[in-house]
Structures are given as C-alpha cells and as structure tokens.
C-alpha cells in the first residue's frame, strides 16, 4: 500500500458513477473476480466490483475496445470521487434527505421510461421498485454530496471572452471536434382535461380506502395494493423526508396539518388524488406516506386541448405573443415552461440535441420543418402516462461542421469553463490532500495517469 499526496479531478468522474444503468449497458459481458477492497480514502473504500462495473458500463456507452489504460483512468476518477466524499464529511457537507428522495424518484422514473414502464423495469432487474431504490439511494446521495462539494470549490470560477478565445485557439486544428446536425427544440404542452365523472370515481375510491384505514386496516398494506405512485407503492407509500416547498403545495399543506399517525382527507394535486399519513416530523423536514389514485384517462378531451394550443399557435405566428412567453403562460410541462419552452438534453443540460438523439416522436414532426416554424398541435402520451397535446418549435438546426467560435461559442465557452473549474479543483486537492489518508492496492499503484499524481 502507498499513500498518495496529490490528486487531480478527472473528466471521467461524472462518467464512472456506479449506478443502475439502462438495460443495454447492463448486458456487457462480465469476467468475475474475487471482490475486495482495492483502495481506501479515510472511511470510504473502492471495491474491485465498483471498478469492473464502472469500466464495463463506460465501454458499453463509449463503444471503445477494452484496454487497461482506460481502466486505470476510471480507477483514478473513482479514487478522486472518494477524496471529495472524505473531505465533504470533514467539512460537514450534506444534502437534505428530501432532495435525495426527489432525485432518486426522478432517476427511477427515467429508467422506467426507457424500458416501457415500471412493471417492465421490475421484470428486467427481477427486483421491486423498493429494492431498486434501496440499491441506488447511497450512490445518489454520494453523487449529490460530491456535486455540492465541487460547487463550493468552483462557485467563484468564471471565464472571460478573452479566455474563451484563447482556449479555442489552443486546440490543434487536427483535434477540433466535428459536430453533427444539432437542433434546438421548444414545446408548449397542454394536458388533456379529465372528465368530472373520472375525477369523482377516483375520489370515491380513495374515500372508501380512508374509511377502511379508519376502521383499522393498515395504511401501508393498502398503499401497496392500490396506490398508483410507482415510486412509493412498493414501499407502503412512504415518500421519505422532505423540506417545505419541495412537494406540491396541496400535498404539503395537507400533510403539515396532521399530527404523526394522522390521516388526511382526500386532496387533489396535479398528479391525481392523495390520501396522506404523516409518519414523522424532524426539525424542518417531514416524512409521509400516501396512496395516489389517478383518474381514468380513457375519455380525456384531447380535442379541447388541441384547440387551445391551436389558438396559442396562431397568437405566436401573428407576432402577438413570443414563444417563450407563451410557454411560460400556457404550457403544462413544468420541466420546460420556465426555460422558454426549450427542451434540454438530460446528458448535458444544454438545449442543443444531436438529431440522432432526438425523441423519435419529436423527430418525425420536426424533420420536415423549417427553422423558426411551429408545428400544428400533436397528440402524445407523456412518460408518466398522461394524454397530452403539444406544439413544437424548431428554433435552430445546424449543419455538420468543424467547431468554430461563430457557430459554437457557447459550447466552447462551456468547455473553457469546465477546464478552468477542473484546474480549480486540482488546486483544491493540492491544498487538502494532506488531510486525507489514501491507500492503494499494489495491483493499481503503477496505473498510467496515477503515477503523475504521486510524489
């Protein structure tokens, strides 16, 4: 074992997070070895299985051929992640449990949307949603802590136009990236209204469940049987701890009026109808369980939603309303309405999306559109099963080209900022490495890329 006195943040850090991946990644061939600890950073350890899984996952994503240098790079990034976690523990950097639960549910929902729903997700992994969430929880919390730590380290880092130009000019001509066709797409979404009869039926079903609970039946058992919230049903409806303003207002207001163990009346939110039980208050956080019943959508009025969006489209096309303002005022999609209606890439957070990564349902609408054009209302089903209608706006469409400052200024600026932030984190490592003890298994002491970090 040998102690390292200097480490630098690797660009692989974000890519090598050990999480449940999409099924395509999970099918990479695995050569099983005896598991064990291959590195230790204070109280944090890296297992051989962590490295192997991260390595295979990255190979599946990048389509690269197996090679030991890449495995060493991934090992180094995992080691650096553990250093961030160790320092975060020393500096008392934490994230609220409610934020962890929110991120965890978002990831589970995303994975479910990739495979066709929560039932298929459970079938694929042969695990319940609760088991999947339990496996992911620690990893999600650690990633959020690392991100918080890096934000604190780089919070004051920025780049000037001069620095951006210098960064670009330092890229060798034969190393300039080649960008395929990319598009910027905006949307304004209108959820189809659910009829009064469907709402009443959902409410009555929950009223019946409430009576059964008050008569002595177990809330958690009924949640498992009847709740239509895939993220919590298998866990007896438990949502976990949230702070104020982290849940929808109607839900929070009803929950905070309860005493521990108390049962709410039936309340309605954008997600459907809820029956809530307060489990525990802890400082500014509260933990609840709920049963969610969604009104049947078989008879939703898609035509009405389409007509409303057609009117909005006419206002935009007549220059009576800007698209961004229309999205803010009329869109039902909370993920895009406050972003001018623009769809961002989940992988990068940018509004530019390569054409080969555009959702097929959107691709076939925009493929024949001109830049600046707005589509007619198009019916679709949201990832969580809601019937909806949307209009799509093709804001820009680039031609395949070598990177240049005119067309790709924002991308280059982001890359320059990322490099400067990486340097800031490297300096932070140099200043703080002596406060953290790191041990490495002899098998990995000679890793390429690791040697330059050792003194």
């Amino acid at each position: 074992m040998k102690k390292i006195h200097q480490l630098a943040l690797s660009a692989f850090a974000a890519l090598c997070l050990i999480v449940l991946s999409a099924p395509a990644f999970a099918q990479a061939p695995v050569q099983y070895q005896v598991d064990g600890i291959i590195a230790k950073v204070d109280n944090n350890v890296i297992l051989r299985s962590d490295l192997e899984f991260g390595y295979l996952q990255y190979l599946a994503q990048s389509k690269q051929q197996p090679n030991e240098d890449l495995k060493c790079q991934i090992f180094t990034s995992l080691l650096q992640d553990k250093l961030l976690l160790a320092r975060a523990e020393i500096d008392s950097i934490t994230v609220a449990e409610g934020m962890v639960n929110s991120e965890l549910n978002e990831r589970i929902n995303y994975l479910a949307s990739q495979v066709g729903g929560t039932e298929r997700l459970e079938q694929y992994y042969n695990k319940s949603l609760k088991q999947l969430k339990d496996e992911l929880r620690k990893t999600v919390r650690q990633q959020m802590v690392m991100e918080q730590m890096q934000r604190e380290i780089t919070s004051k880092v920025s780049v000037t136009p001069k620095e951006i130009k210098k960064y670009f000019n330092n890229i060798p001509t034969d190393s300039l990236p080649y960008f395929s066709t990319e598009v910027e797409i905006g949307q304004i979404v209108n959820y189809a209204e659910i009829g009064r009869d469907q709402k009443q039926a959902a409410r009555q079903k929950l009223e019946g469940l409430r009576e059964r609970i008050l008569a002595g039946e177990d809330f958690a058992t009924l949640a498992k049987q009847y709740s239509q919230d895939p993220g919590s049903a298998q866990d007896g409806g438990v949502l976990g701890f949230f702070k104020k303003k982290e849940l929808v207002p109607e839900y929070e207001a009803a929950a905070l009026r309860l005493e521990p163990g108390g049962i709410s009346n039936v309340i309605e939110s954008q997600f459907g109808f809820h029956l809530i039980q307060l489990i525990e208050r802890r400082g500014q956080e509260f933990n609840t369980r709920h049963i969610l019943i969604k009104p049947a959508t078989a008879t939703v009025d898609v035509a009405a939603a389409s007509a409303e969006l057609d009117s909005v489209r006419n206002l935009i096309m007549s220059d009576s309303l800007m698209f961004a303002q229309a999205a803010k005022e009329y869109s039902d999609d909370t993920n895009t309405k406050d972003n001018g209606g623009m769809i961002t890439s989940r992988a990068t957070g940018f509004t530019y999306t390569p054409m080969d990564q555009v959702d097929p349902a959107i691709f076939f609408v925009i493929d024949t559109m001109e830049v600046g054009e707005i589509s007619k209302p198009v019916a679709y089903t949201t990832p969580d099963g809601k019937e909806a209608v949307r209009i799509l706006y093709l804001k820009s469409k680039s031609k395949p080209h070598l990177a240049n400052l005119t067309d790709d200024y924002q991308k280059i600026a982001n890359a320059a900022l990322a490099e400067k932030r990486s340097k800031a984190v490297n300096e932070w490592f140099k200043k703080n490495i002596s406060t953290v003890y790191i041990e490495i298994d002899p098998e990995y002491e000679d890793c390429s890329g690791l040697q330059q970090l050792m003194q």
Side-chain angles (χ1 to χ4, degrees), residues 146-203:
M146 287 188 290
E147 290 171 350
Q148 178 63 27
M149 194 73 193
Q150 291 189 57
R151 280 194 293 269
E152 295 204 5
I153 296 169
T154 63
S155 61
K156 296 182 180 180
V157 176
S158 61
V159 287
T160 65
K162 183 177 180 180
E163 289 174 317
I164 295 169
K165 185 175 181 179
K166 181 180 179 180
Y167 173 85
F168 179 75
N169 289 336
N170 285 338
I171 302 175
T173 302
D174 59 359
S175 297
L176 286 173
Y178 184 83
F179 294 120
S180 61
T181 298
E182 294 180 319
V183 290
E184 285 186 292
I185 307 165
Q187 66 176 6
I188 298 176
V189 177
N190 196 333
Y191 295 144
E193 290 292 331
I194 298 170
R196 181 179 299 177
D197 290 343
Q198 284 71 39
K199 285 189 175 184
Q200 186 60 27
R203 181 182 289 276

Side-chain angles (χ1 to χ4, degrees), residues 78-324:
L78 289 173
L79 196 70
Q80 294 163 344
D81 287 347
K82 298 303 182 183
L83 177 58
L84 282 172
L85 286 173
R87 278 302 319 180
E89 184 176 353
I90 294 171
D91 296 344
S92 300
I93 302 296
T94 60
V95 292
E97 192 66 21
M99 295 177 65
V100 175
N101 288 330
S102 180
E103 177 67 16
L104 185 58
N105 287 333
E106 183 177 337
R107 293 194 188 196
I108 288 291
N109 290 338
Y110 174 75
L111 288 172
S113 71
Q114 299 302 295
V115 299
T118 54
E119 289 186 5
R120 292 193 64 183
L121 183 67
E122 290 179 317
Q123 291 170 1
Y124 184 87
Y125 289 106
N126 194 29
K127 296 175 181 176
S128 69
L129 282 178
K130 182 180 184 304
Q131 290 174 315
L132 293 175
K133 288 172 69 175
D134 287 346
E135 290 183 9
L136 271 175
R137 185 178 300 278
K138 181 179 179 181
T139 299
V140 169
R141 181 184 291 106
Q142 289 184 342
Q143 184 190 27
M144 294 178 73
V145 168
M146 287 188 290
E147 290 171 350
Q148 178 63 27
M149 194 73 193
Q150 291 189 57
R151 280 194 293 269
E152 295 204 5
I153 296 169
T154 63
S155 61
K156 296 182 180 180
V157 176
S158 61
V159 287
T160 65
K162 183 177 180 180
E163 289 174 317
I164 295 169
K165 185 175 181 179
K166 181 180 179 180
Y167 173 85
F168 179 75
N169 289 336
N170 285 338
I171 302 175
T173 302
D174 59 359
S175 297
L176 286 173
Y178 184 83
F179 294 120
S180 61
T181 298
E182 294 180 319
V183 290
E184 285 186 292
I185 307 165
Q187 66 176 6
I188 298 176
V189 177
N190 196 333
Y191 295 144
E193 290 292 331
I194 298 170
R196 181 179 299 177
D197 290 343
Q198 284 71 39
K199 285 189 175 184
Q200 186 60 27
R203 181 182 289 276
Q204 289 178 349
K205 184 173 183 178
L206 264 185
E207 292 285 5
L209 293 175
R210 185 174 188 274
E211 290 179 5
R212 291 171 61 179
I213 293 169
L214 294 177
E217 290 194 53
D218 182 57
F219 193 115
T221 299
L222 293 180
K224 290 180 181 180
Q225 293 177 345
Y226 296 104
S227 182
Q228 295 174 323
D229 175 10
S232 68
Q234 293 301 314
D235 197 21
V238 175
L239 292 183
F241 282 93
F242 283 86
K243 290 183 177 180
K244 291 181 179 180
K245 298 184 179 180
E246 289 183 344
L247 297 174
V248 291
E250 303 89 347
Y251 187 101
E252 178 183 292
L256 292 179
R257 284 195 295 266
L258 298 172
E259 295 296 327
I263 309 295
S264 73
N265 292 319
V266 175
I267 62 111
E268 182 179 5
S269 79
Q270 67 193 65
F271 301 105
F273 291 89
H274 308 260
L275 190 62
I276 306 167
Q277 182 180 49
L278 179 64
I279 300 173
E280 180 185 357
R281 292 177 190 262
R282 190 169 64 193
Q284 297 299 311
E285 298 181 330
F286 60 98
N287 185 11
T288 59
R289 61 164 48 93
H290 78 144
I291 299 174
L292 173 69
I293 299 296
K294 300 177 182 179
T297 60
T299 58
V300 294
D301 195 346
V302 174
S306 182
E308 182 176 337
L309 275 189
D310 201 39
S311 298
V312 173
R313 178 176 181 268
N314 290 336
L315 287 173
I316 299 170
M317 294 183 66
S318 66
D319 293 328
S320 298
L321 190 63
M322 298 294 290
F323 185 88

